[in-house]
Amino acid sequence: MICFVIALDGEAAPVLANMQDTAREDIYGKKVYSGKLCGDEVRVLVCGVGKVNAACAAMLAIDRFKADAIINIGTAGALNRSMEIGGIYPVSHAAQYDFDLKQINGTDIGVLNEFSERWLPLACTGEGGKKVATGDRFNDDRADFFMLRDDFCADLRDIECGAAAQVCAHAKVPLYAFKVVSDVAGSGSTTEQYCDNIALCYKNIERDICGIYAAVLQNLKG
């Protein structure tokens, strides 16, 4: 079974709109929807915002529902202007830019204690996968922007993907992530952009989710 791990109700709604025979239960404070997508039984776990929530939902999907793969889909901020507002991009790698053990281990920011590299590879449905930097903050801080652009060389930033990637790496369950661009750094307030563009982002997820799901199935089959 494939399980979706999605932060917000608004981000989950476009997926649910494409499902049939949908039912809901609450497990450990997480909304869990069951139903059929493209004729297949799936689960959609609405985890809430943040890395801990994403990690908890990923572990729940793996342990309770025996997920064969997890799909994380939601909005993200672009770090360069070549990316399109409302565009949906597959993710090839994820890192946690607010994880820092440099003073203890001498490792670069983003290198988790149990890994030797900052970037964790994800399953990816094609060429041109993007790098997502994950941290528990949403801001316009220029220091963060320069770190993510110049040190991490990240394409996108979000608040969940890197944590789900850490759980899936340990469990050896493939994680597929798709991020829809809600705002672009350097193009004005990210908060204002997010509010202005969120309806478009949700519309595009609803339009493309069946194609995304089909691409994941094809990738899993090899």
Side-chain angles (χ1 to χ4, degrees):
M1 176 184 293
I2 291 179
C3 293
F4 290 80
V5 170
I6 302 175
L8 297 171
D9 288 318
E11 294 171 326
V15 180
L16 297 173
N18 281 276
M19 290 172 56
Q20 297 79 43
D21 304 325
T22 306
R24 172 185 158 181
E25 60 182 322
D26 291 357
I27 305 175
Y28 303 136
K30 308 299 181 191
K31 299 172 186 175
V32 179
Y33 296 89
S34 60
K36 291 185 177 180
L37 180 65
C38 303
D40 296 335
E41 289 287 341
V42 300
R43 293 289 190 279
V44 176
L45 289 78
V46 183
C47 64
V49 174
K51 296 198 303 180
V52 171
N53 279 325
C56 289
M59 194 69 254
L60 178 61
I62 293 165
D63 188 60
R64 176 71 67 92
F65 301 114
K66 311 304 179 187
D68 298 304
I70 289 175
I71 298 175
N72 171 237
I73 191 165
T75 59
L79 296 167
N80 64 74
R81 297 185 185 183
S82 68
M83 304 185 77
E84 178 184 357
I85 291 288
I88 301 178
Y89 297 89
V91 176
S92 62
H93 295 80
Q96 297 177 45
Y97 70 88
D98 58 354
F99 189 93
D100 185 1
L101 289 183
K102 187 172 185 176
Q103 290 186 203
I104 296 174
N105 292 344
T107 49
D108 290 336
I109 294 174
V111 178
L112 303 172
N113 194 47
E114 65 271 38
F115 294 93
S116 59
E117 302 288 340
R118 66 165 46 139
W119 290 107
L120 300 182
L122 275 62
C124 196
T125 56
E127 300 296 325
K130 303 301 182 182
K131 290 184 174 181
V132 171
T134 298
D136 272 325
R137 50 185 183 256
F138 184 109
N139 61 34
D140 285 312
D141 185 86
R142 290 182 64 79
D144 274 3
F145 169 69
F146 289 127
M147 175 179 68
L148 295 175
R149 186 193 66 179
D150 300 335
D151 182 8
F152 278 70
C153 299
D155 302 296
L156 297 156
R157 64 184 291 187
D158 84 335
I159 315 180
E160 288 85 29
C161 185
Q166 184 177 0
V167 171
C168 288
H170 284 300
K172 295 180 172 54
V173 171
L175 173 66
Y176 295 84
F178 300 86
K179 296 298 171 178
V180 54
V181 173
S182 59
D183 52 271
V184 179
S187 299
S189 165
T190 54
T191 302
E192 291 180 4
Q193 291 183 70
Y194 178 88
C195 293
D196 289 343
N197 299 321
I198 194 66
L200 173 65
C201 292
Y202 292 168
K203 178 181 177 181
N204 289 353
I205 293 172
E206 183 171 349
R207 178 197 66 198
D208 290 353
I209 192 61
C210 288
I212 288 170
Y213 180 74
V216 169
L217 287 180
Q218 183 63 37
N219 190 268
L220 285 170
K221 292 175 182 177

